[in-house]
């Protein structure tokens, strides 16, 4: 059985950085594309960073492009989101997700393509 577990969330001031991690026990990562989504209070779930299963292609939402970096540590089987220059509007619950589908810039952003989800880690950014 596959479990995705996020960690690394916390409270920081604007301009600060956090490193979010997601471990996937039992996940055959070579078959799954992975992503980070977030949900802010009163808002819909938003995809922010996406990575293809061969880790050769990444995509980002406009809201985080240039500030966040998604990567995969194969040695630790861990998905990583390096979040720099954080803003108060980045405050949200962050979730990692995995799915098997044909990866494109459009399909990667479709939340329905992901069938495996973690429980989330909270990021709070104060001004």
């Amino acid at each position: 059985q596959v479990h995705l577990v996020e960690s690394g969330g916390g409270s920081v001031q604007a301009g600060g950085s956090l490193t979010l991690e997601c471990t996937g026990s039992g996940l055959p990562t070579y078959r799954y594309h992975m992503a980070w989504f977030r949900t802010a209070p009163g808002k819909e779930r938003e995809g922010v960073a996406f990575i293809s299963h061969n880790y050769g292609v990444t995509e980002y939402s406009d809201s985080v492009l240039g500030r966040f970096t998604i990567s995969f540590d194969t040695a630790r089987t861990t998905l990583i989101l390096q979040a720099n220059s954080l803003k108060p509007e980045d405050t949200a619950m962050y979730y990692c997700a995995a799915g098997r589908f044909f990866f494109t810039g459009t399909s990667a952003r479709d939340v329905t393509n992901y069938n495996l989800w973690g429980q989330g880690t909270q990021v709070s950014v104060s001004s």
Side-chain angles (χ1 to χ4, degrees), residues 1-120:
Q1 191 167 1
V2 177
H3 294 283
L4 299 180
V5 179
E6 302 94 337
S7 63
S11 298
V12 297
Q13 291 189 327
S17 298
L18 285 172
T19 302
L20 307 185
E21 295 191 344
C22 171
T23 57
S25 62
L27 180 69
T29 55
Y30 64 92
R31 294 183 178 181
Y32 282 81
H33 306 304
M34 301 192 74
W36 287 95
F37 286 79
R38 67 187 181 186
T39 304
K43 295 186 178 181
E44 293 186 355
R45 186 163 295 190
E46 173 193 17
V48 297
F50 317 88
I51 187 166
S52 62
H53 69 82
N54 61 355
Y55 318 125
V57 180
T58 57
E59 295 276 345
Y60 298 91
S61 67
D62 290 342
S63 59
V64 306
L65 184 64
R67 300 187 298 122
F68 290 13
T69 302
I70 188 171
S71 62
F72 193 85
D73 183 334
T74 55
R76 297 192 294 132
T77 318
T78 299
L79 181 71
I80 299 167
L81 183 69
Q82 180 62 44
N84 298 329
S85 302
L86 284 161
K87 304 175 181 180
E89 51 263 45
D90 294 318
T91 295
M93 185 72 79
Y94 284 71
Y95 301 88
C96 71
R100 296 180 62 185
F101 53 91
F102 184 74
F103 190 98
T104 66
T106 300
S107 66
R109 288 165 168 79
D110 186 347
V111 65
T112 64
N113 282 327
Y114 298 88
N115 62 315
L116 299 173
W117 292 85
Q119 82 291 345

